[in-house]
Structures are given as C-alpha cells and as structure tokens.
Amino acid sequence: MLPRGSRVRTKQDHAELGRSGRRVRAGSVVVHSVHTDVDSPPRAGFTVGRRVGNAVVRNRVRRRLREQTRLRLSSLPRGTAVLIRALPGAAGATSAELGSSLDSAFRAVRSAGSVRPAASPRSAGPQRTARST
C-alpha cells in the first residue's frame, strides 16, 4: 500500500487530474500527470473501470498497479501527482508487464515538457446556466 501522503484521495483530486492532467499512454495504462508548485512527495491515484473486467479482476489489477507504482513513485519529481488509469488489456497483463508500462509512462512524465503546471482556479466570472425552453 502507498503511504498516506503519497495517495490521491479525494474525488475532486481524481477529477482534476483526469480533466487537466497531461496524458501518456504506455501499454495497458494511461497516466495523467500534473505538476504542482507544492514541495510534497509525488502522489498517485488509480482508476480501473468496469471494461477491465469483473470486480475480482479489477481489484487484482488495482493491487498490481499499486505495488508497481509504490516501487517507482520516488523516481517522479516532487510535487507531481499522477492518476493511473487501467485499460482493458491490463486484465491479462502480468505484474512485470504493468511495471514495464509504468516505467515507460513515468519516463515520459519526467522528460522535459511532459509535466505541466496544475490549472489555476477558475475566475469568479459569470457562470453558465442551463437554458429553459
């Protein structure tokens, strides 16, 4: 299991990473990454959708990804948050194959220009509302 400070825990953080994070596809995973100015350890979150398989398969994939990420998380720059999304091919992948995919994705995250700053808070300007008919 990842240390508490190394986890992306809130639904809002997951949504922000998925929405504004830079995407890198490697093998059977997609890694969304955002670099913040906060000097905190790298953080990781996981998303394994129903297309990957039933609950048993999804949990197995999540456990494997979590362990492979734990071994590699220290290689990311401080202040980086990543969301690791499993693709359907992850169901049949071994731990070594998932690790290799993460190595490729994390290499791209570390490379210059691959990590972009987190989006700034939206201005308090006029809000869009639904039109009534």
Side-chain angles (χ1 to χ4, degrees), residues 45-99:
F46 303 90
T47 301
V48 183
R50 286 187 300 183
R51 292 188 332 168
V52 173
N54 64 26
V56 173
V57 172
R58 291 193 310 267
N59 285 323
R60 183 183 311 126
V61 168
R62 188 177 295 112
R63 281 192 309 269
R64 288 178 177 174
L65 282 173
R66 193 181 306 127
E67 176 60 16
Q68 295 301 318
T69 301
R70 184 185 68 80
L71 298 172
R72 294 163 172 78
L73 198 58
S74 62
S75 69
L76 293 175
R78 291 186 64 79
T80 302
V82 293
L83 177 65
I84 299 163
R85 183 167 45 101
L87 298 175
T94 64
S95 291
E97 291 168 342
L98 291 173

Side-chain angles (χ1 to χ4, degrees), residues 12-23 32 34 83 85:
Q12 183 180 9
D13 287 346
H14 272 267
E16 183 66 28
L17 274 169
R19 185 173 45 252
S20 66
R22 177 137 188 149
R23 286 187 303 261
H32 300 258
V34 171
L83 177 65
R85 183 167 45 101

